[in-house]
Structure formats: C-alpha cells, structure tokens
Amino acid sequence: MADHVYNYVKPVFSSIANLQNQIPDFVDMSSLPSLRKLSKAVSAAVPAALFASGVARGGLPPSCSNPQLSCQNTTVVTDTCCFNAPGGQLLQTQFWDNNPPTGPSDHWTVHGLCFDQYCDPNRQYTNISSIISAAGRTDLLDYMNTYWKDYQGNDESFWEHEWGKHGTCISTLEPSCYTGYAPQEEVVDYFQKTVDLFKTLDSYAFLSAAGIVPSTTKTYTSAEILAALAKPRGVQVSIQCKSGALDEIWYFFDVRGSVQTGTFVPAEPDGSKSSCSATGVKYLPKTGTPPSTTMTTSTGTPPTSTPTPGGPFSGKGTLPVTSGGTVNGCIISGGTWYTTGTCATFTAAASGSGFTLTSSKGKCAVANNALTCSSTVTAPTVFSTVNGKLAYNGNTSFYTSSVPTGSTQAAVSVAQQATTLTIGWTAS
C-alpha cells in the first residue's frame, strides 16, 4: 500500500515543484503558498482520496518522523514500529533453480525477505493467496505466481513458510503498529515490499552486463561474480553454490524507518560468507521440465472467515463428506471419496498455524490440485479449519467430477469441477 501512496503522490509533488519553477520573476512569491504547505495539504488529502478510489485497504502503516537507520543507531530506539528490532539487517535472497527450472529462463526468482525466525505462532497463516486476493491485490498474486516459485511446485506452502518464519519477526509489521488495522493486512505489506525490492535487483541483468551468462561449458570465478553484483549497489553480496553451480544470491539491507514505508539502504554482509569456490563456478542454463505447480489464481474465493488452527481436527478421527447438504460417505485412506464401506481413520497433528493429516497410507498433501495420502508424500500440506470444515488455502470447497457410487472412488480436487463437497471431522 505504501508504494501505491508513493506512486500517487510523487507526480503531484513534482508538478507543484515544476510549477513554482516556472513562475515569472515579477510575481510576488510571498503571496503564494510555499511548497511545504502545498505538499502538506496534498499529503493530508491522499489517504482519503486513495481510500475512496479503492486503492487503500484497511489501516495505515506507522508514520515515522526522523527515523533512524537500523544497525547504525547509537542510542536505544524504543519505537519498534519505526525501527526494525531486535536484529535490524534484512536479507533479500534470490534463487536460480535450473533443473527442475523455476520462473522465466532469463530471470532469478524470489526466496523471501529474511529476518529472524518464527516469532508469532498466532500469525503463521496458511491462506496467503486468499489473504492477498481478499485485499484486492490480484496484481501482486499474479506476479508471485511467476517469480516467487517453489522448486517442488508448491508455491502456496513456500509463501506460508516465508511469512511464518520471517514475516512474523519484523517488528514494524506488528498489527499494533497500524492505525485502523484490518486483520492480516501486514501479510500483504510483507509480500508487496519483498516483490518491490526484488524488482530493483535484476540479478540476471547485473551478471549479463559483466559477460556472465548461463552456460553448460563456461565457468567463472567468484571474484568476477561478486564484482558484477556489487557494481550496481556499491556493496558486496554473498553467493551460494550447490555442486559447484551458482544457485543463490544474498542481498543485505539496513532500513531507515519501517519496512512498509522506510528506505532500504544497501549494506555489507553481516558475517555471512559466500560458499562458492574461488574458481570454476558454473552458472547453468535452466533446463528440463518445470515442476507441476499447485497453482493459486487471483480469481479464487477468499475465506469467509479467518481460518483457525486445528479447531475440531485433533488426534484421531474420520473425514465425513457433505455434498448437496447431505452427509454421504467419507474420505478414505488414499485421499479419495468413497460412499460405501468403512471410513478410514486419520491422525490430525498440529503444524504451524494449522495441522497435517496422516492415514494408514501415509501423509496427506494437495499435489497437482488433487488430495492424496501416500508414503511417497514427503511434504504434507498444512490444512486449517473454517467453521468446522477442512480448509485448504482458507477455502472449504473441494470438488469431484461426480458423486461416486458402489465401489467407485472419486478423486478429490481443489480445482473447480461439477460436484462440490466439504469435508468435516468426527473424532474417534
């Protein structure tokens, strides 16, 4: 939201300044309002104008006068809504996943905006895409679906991880820092600021300008790579390699003011060292088949209420299915819907701000839009509950192509199909 405000105000301020510069010399300047007064009036009017236009949503981030630069303060700063604490230095990490490839072939991808780790379990939300969609930020979600990718194809879980692990630790994103706070608006600010910062750090272009391009045969020195990445910013970065190939870049920043509205100042790495060899560093092209992605789209239905962790899903129980207003069968051990026979027993275990499900077949996950429980599942999906129903990304609706009958089992999907169903919980 801060960037919307900035983009709205910047041309207004520029126009005021240009207009004053063009006033003829014979005009008595003392009779005209100063640029300071005009700017103040515009600043006061902008929030109301943006709200009326639908650009602003929820409350306003902290307004910080004379903010200090994190990690550079000489006295204790008590207002942590305008000063990132307790650490202060933020890390913007980018990935180069070449096989399987993620993102465009000529662009690095976002990892996140890193700070401390797991600071508020009550805000480790599991419905990131729904939160962003409900805020009207479909443009942000569309960008993330292209440039903020998980190498295993589960973008949503990746975003949940980054918010829960790092976003909850940024002091200026505390709900108490907002005026007129709307639930979960700090989540949107975190992802928007991370994306905005990422857009200023075109690593592919930085490297290409120095003649460093992906190749299956050519190698580079760490010094060449570090120099190319330091040139646009004036400070060093850290680079990481896997099996001798460049795959991560770490950009460091101190922040003057809040993450939402403050200034990110490039900083030298704070104790983090590069892991690449001095010579023979590979920078491989993106090849192979991209992972099948559990897609999130900007047209998804936002949650009707805030998902709650666990809820009735705890311990052992069965998963009864309701379709057309009638309970009809249940989810069996493989994750499919079965309307006859005995219901399978599942174990619900708390995980982050939600829970995971396990059957006799193994852990359960949503993969390629389908619910599946299998011993091959290594990264179980963290579900939540809304109004007593199983929720995935904040939504309680699941789908099948038709209602199964007899011994037929129906595959359960999160992608819209002909038959809609919800999944409940009956404790054993």
Side-chain angles (χ1 to χ4, degrees):
M1 184 177 66
D3 297 280
H4 287 303
V5 173
Y6 175 76
N7 292 333
Y8 186 92
V9 173
K10 183 179 178 181
V12 179
F13 285 166
S14 298
S15 297
I16 293 172
N18 291 335
L19 181 61
Q20 286 198 334
N21 290 334
Q22 295 172 21
I23 294 174
D25 293 338
F26 60 78
V27 174
D28 181 6
M29 292 294 290
S30 64
S31 65
L32 299 177
S34 65
L35 177 59
R36 180 185 298 273
K37 289 182 178 179
L38 286 170
S39 300
K40 184 176 181 180
V42 171
S43 297
V46 162
L50 290 180
F51 182 82
S53 68
V55 175
R57 303 181 68 90
L60 294 174
S63 176
C64 305
S65 60
N66 193 30
Q68 295 195 48
L69 183 63
S70 62
C71 295
Q72 307 298 321
N73 58 303
T74 56
T75 58
V76 175
V77 178
T78 58
D79 183 6
T80 55
C81 288
C82 291
F83 184 82
N84 288 286
Q89 189 171 82
L90 293 177
L91 170 64
Q92 224 270 1
T93 306
Q94 297 185 12
F95 281 172
W96 182 262
D97 295 317
N98 74 295
N99 192 8
T102 61
S105 61
D106 59 350
H107 216 291
W108 287 61
T109 57
V110 189
H111 175 79
L113 187 62
C114 305
F115 191 56
D116 214 331
Q117 298 186 24
Y118 299 112
C119 296
D120 189 349
N122 293 324
R123 292 192 296 135
Q124 289 182 16
Y125 306 121
T126 58
N127 57 332
I128 301 301
S129 59
S130 294
I131 292 172
I132 294 173
S133 292
R137 295 309 318 280
T138 56
D139 57 329
L140 171 60
L141 189 58
D142 289 343
Y143 190 92
M144 290 167 59
N145 276 324
T146 300
Y147 293 101
W148 200 324
K149 306 296 293 179
D150 174 54
Y151 77 101
Q152 293 180 318
N154 197 333
D155 299 344
E156 179 73 26
S157 292
F158 185 24
W159 303 337
E160 292 167 2
H161 170 80
E162 288 304 301
W163 164 254
K165 184 175 182 180
H166 302 299
T168 60
C169 295
I170 298 175
S171 64
T172 72
L173 291 175
E174 287 287 339
S176 59
C177 292
Y178 288 79
T179 301
Y181 172 74
Q184 303 171 339
E185 68 176 288
E186 76 278 17
V187 177
V188 182
D189 283 344
Y190 171 79
F191 285 97
Q192 183 65 63
K193 180 53 65 174
T194 304
V195 164
D196 289 343
L197 198 61
F198 173 76
K199 289 179 179 179
T200 70
L201 301 169
D202 189 343
S203 300
Y204 191 93
F206 295 164
L207 294 169
S208 295
I212 300 172
V213 294
S215 172
T216 57
T217 58
K218 190 174 182 179
T219 62
Y220 306 93
T221 67
S222 286
E224 290 171 336
I225 296 171
L226 289 169
L229 296 170
K231 185 176 180 180
R233 302 171 68 243
V235 295
Q236 285 296 328
V237 303
S238 289
I239 55 175
Q240 308 301 317
C241 289
K242 183 177 181 180
S243 300
L246 179 66
D247 70 342
E248 290 186 39
I249 300 173
W250 298 356
Y251 294 97
F252 296 82
F253 293 88
D254 295 334
V255 184
R256 189 181 306 281
S258 71
V259 162
Q260 300 94 308
T261 62
T263 302
F264 280 69
V265 179
E268 295 288 345
D270 185 11
S272 299
K273 305 298 182 183
S274 299
S275 67
C276 300
S277 301
T279 60
V281 178
K282 294 176 285 186
Y283 181 21
L284 298 174
K286 294 185 179 183
T287 59
T289 303
S292 298
T293 302
T294 301
M295 291 297 294
T296 54
T297 65
S298 59
T299 57
T301 303
T304 56
S305 60
T306 302
T308 56
F313 292 78
S314 179
K316 293 185 180 298
T318 59
L319 299 173
V321 171
T322 299
S323 179
T326 303
V327 177
N328 187 9
C330 53
I331 302 300
I332 58 174
S333 57
T336 54
W337 179 16
Y338 194 48
T339 57
T340 60
T342 304
C343 295
T345 297
F346 289 77
T347 300
S351 177
S353 60
F355 57 91
T356 59
L357 292 172
T358 304
S359 73
S360 60
K361 293 289 183 66
K363 298 174 182 178
C364 301
V366 174
N368 298 326
N369 290 332
L371 176 64
T372 182
C373 304
S374 168
S375 60
T376 62
V377 174
T378 58
T381 294
V382 177
F383 297 96
S384 60
T385 177
V386 176
N387 298 326
K389 298 296 186 180
L390 184 71
Y392 173 73
N393 291 343
N395 296 321
T396 59
S397 293
F398 293 83
Y399 306 91
T400 62
S401 58
S402 62
V403 177
T405 58
S407 60
T408 302
Q409 301 175 25
V412 177
S413 175
V414 295
Q416 191 164 1
Q417 297 182 26
T419 301
T420 302
L421 61 109
T422 59
I423 302 172
W425 177 260
T426 301
S428 298

